[in-house]
Amino acid sequence: MRLKSRVASWFTGLCAGVRRACLLATVTALLALHLPAHAATKAGVETQFRQWLQNDLWPEARQAGISAAAFKAAFADVKLDWDLPDLAPPGFPKAKERKQSQAEFSSPGSYFSERRLQGLAATGRSLASAHQSTLKRIERTYGVPGPVVLAIWGRESGFGRAKIPHPIMDVLATKAFMSTRPELFRRELIAALTILQSDDVKESEMRGSWAGAMGQPQFLPSSFLKYAVDFDGDGRRDIWNSVPDSLASIANYLSKKGWQGGRDWGFEVSIPGGVSCAQEGPDLARPIADWASMGITRISGKAFPPAERSASGMMLVPAGTHGPGFVVTPNFYVIKEYNNSDLYALFIGNLADRIASGGGAFRGEWGDVGKMLRSDVLGMQKALVATGYDVGKVDGLPGYKSRRSLGDWQAKNGLKPTCFPDPSLKAKLR
């Protein structure tokens, strides 16, 4: 306080007679006293990080049951990874947010690379033979078919062959300290410490993606603690080096999320023009026999399996009438628990079918519907909400609630329902 008073008095005397300039200079000088002694630098942030570990993270880790010795060992060689995305270092300028108008959503068809699917399917069939006994034991234990487990294994880590580059503690510590979502990664960091303390894996082997997903199944640490299993009997849950542990952990995850044994994931179907596309969604389930009575048939020409006809199914039209249609089972939404994306779950289902029976690409063609700006779709969503529709998350991405709301609005306004946003609707729906 004495320093502030001396600075204010000095400027007052110096600037007598030029009061406005004096006032500005005085305010500037006083504000400067509250600024850090140095500009933000990486070295300064590194120092703050070490202080944060000891003063902020350690008390929480101790409360979670982490010993002082385990905590110290875990962070002995940890360093901030400045090359990770989505960082917000303290004292550094905030990254500019991308405007909605700058990002187009992709056409769904671009997700299904035929070359990639064929390659994964060929490898998956070979591995199904190589790991036949393990996969049979997994299916008996968890009720999840081997081809589905293999499909997820292939999609997530190239059947364990993909390079998993990052020391997971570096990733999680960096993101817990200075990412745009620190609380999420702080929880995962505590979970990772719990894993290390359990001696399931050495820290040097505990590697993952830039987003913190670990090992061959790409589990976050919290998922590891809930779903990873020791299936090879060596006393450790090892999703980095053990194929049986990795495959069984994937199956256990799906089982715990509600996989229904004996049921398929879904079927590609032909939907007659008179059946509204605005009936999709997990909350509009009905017996598959009811969908069949509307004239919905499997694209393969085969009948729906007798055991499936009385069970519930849901319409899915991820590109509206501009792409393939599906009747999916609750298992489709279990796959979505692994990655919350309709396209991801369709990819896994299609790949599993290829591995199991040599199936091929979806027969329905994906329209080129990825040319609109997210801001345009966002505007449509807001307009639908204003008229009383539930579009789910208002984010500029056309999820199933947005698609069916749009289809219902089209029908009520004398338009042929397509259940997908397109440029012709921008002027009509405001």
Side-chain angles (χ1 to χ4, degrees), residues 117 120-121 125 145-152 259 264-265 335 345-359:
L117 278 161
L120 288 171
R125 287 190 290 270
V148 173
V149 175
L150 288 170
I152 291 177
W259 185 272
D264 209 314
W265 67 268
I335 296 173
L346 286 173
F347 187 103
I348 295 301
N350 182 254
L351 179 54
D353 288 348
R354 293 176 188 237
I355 293 171
S357 57

Side-chain angles (χ1 to χ4, degrees), residues 21-332:
C22 173
L23 178 61
L24 288 173
T26 302
V27 171
T28 301
L30 290 174
L31 287 175
L33 293 173
H34 292 277
L35 295 177
H38 54 80
T41 64
K42 287 187 177 182
V45 171
E46 297 276 358
T47 299
Q48 292 182 59
F49 169 63
R50 289 294 163 185
Q51 294 171 344
W52 173 82
L53 286 177
Q54 191 60 41
N55 300 332
D56 198 355
L57 186 66
W58 162 237
E60 184 176 344
R62 180 175 54 196
Q63 189 173 8
I66 307 300
S67 70
F71 187 88
K72 182 178 180 180
F75 289 105
D77 298 317
V78 166
K79 58 185 180 301
L80 293 177
D81 187 341
W82 289 85
D83 294 326
L84 296 176
D86 302 326
L87 298 184
F92 279 67
K94 290 185 178 180
K96 292 184 179 179
E97 294 185 5
R98 294 181 66 187
K99 295 182 179 179
Q100 292 281 3
S101 60
Q102 293 177 330
E104 296 177 355
F105 60 85
S106 298
S107 175
S110 64
Y111 195 87
F112 299 91
S113 165
E114 185 60 17
R115 180 178 179 182
R116 185 183 187 195
L117 278 161
Q118 287 181 359
L120 288 171
T123 304
R125 287 190 290 270
S126 175
L127 291 172
S129 177
H131 299 292
Q132 183 178 17
S133 61
T134 297
L135 290 167
K136 284 184 177 179
R137 189 159 65 95
I138 285 172
E139 185 164 0
R140 289 195 302 269
T141 304
Y142 302 106
V144 182
V148 173
V149 175
L150 288 170
I152 291 177
W153 188 33
R155 180 70 173 80
E156 293 297 327
S157 66
F159 305 105
R161 299 171 183 175
K163 182 179 180 181
I164 302 177
H166 298 286
I168 202 64
M169 291 300 291
D170 286 3
V171 170
L172 295 176
T174 299
K175 286 185 167 284
F177 176 63
M178 60 177 193
S179 80
T180 56
R181 295 184 295 167
E183 292 305 316
L184 165 65
F185 289 101
R186 185 171 179 139
R187 292 192 297 270
E188 296 300 335
L189 183 55
I190 296 295
L193 289 169
T194 304
I195 295 169
L196 286 174
Q197 186 164 268
S198 73
D199 291 328
D200 277 307
V201 61
K202 296 178 181 178
E203 186 171 353
S204 61
E205 297 177 349
M206 196 174 177
R207 304 185 74 82
S209 72
W210 64 265
M214 307 186 305
Q216 297 184 37
Q218 287 291 276
F219 278 179
L220 288 172
S222 58
S223 291
F224 178 98
L225 292 174
K226 293 177 184 176
Y227 308 113
V229 296
D230 170 24
F231 208 68
D232 60 13
D234 69 352
R236 299 187 304 124
R237 298 170 293 176
D238 184 0
I239 61 171
W240 292 268
N241 306 296
S242 169
V243 169
D245 288 4
S246 297
L247 297 180
S249 295
I250 292 171
N252 186 46
Y253 183 102
L254 297 176
S255 177
K256 292 288 179 62
K257 292 294 185 179
W259 185 272
Q260 297 182 6
R263 295 207 66 186
D264 209 314
W265 67 268
F267 311 91
E268 186 182 1
V269 298
S270 175
I271 302 174
V275 176
S276 173
C277 55
Q279 301 181 76
E280 74 165 318
D283 53 343
L284 297 181
R286 60 176 69 204
I288 289 179
D290 286 4
W291 295 114
S293 70
M294 298 179 189
I296 295 176
T297 58
R298 291 179 66 181
I299 204 89
S300 65
K302 298 178 180 178
F304 290 107
E308 293 281 10
R309 288 181 60 83
S310 61
S312 66
M314 290 71 79
M315 180 189 289
L316 176 75
V317 283
T321 59
H322 305 297
F326 304 88
V327 169
V328 299
T329 77
N331 285 341
F332 174 86

Side-chain angles (χ1 to χ4, degrees), residues 362-399:
F362 295 132
R363 296 190 190 179
E365 293 186 5
W366 298 94
D368 188 14
V369 293
K371 297 301 183 184
M372 291 187 65
L373 298 174
R374 285 185 65 175
S375 57
D376 295 329
V377 180
L378 187 70
M380 293 183 190
Q381 289 174 326
K382 290 179 178 179
L384 287 167
V385 169
T387 56
Y389 283 99
D390 176 11
V391 302
K393 192 173 182 180
V394 182
D395 58 1
L397 297 174

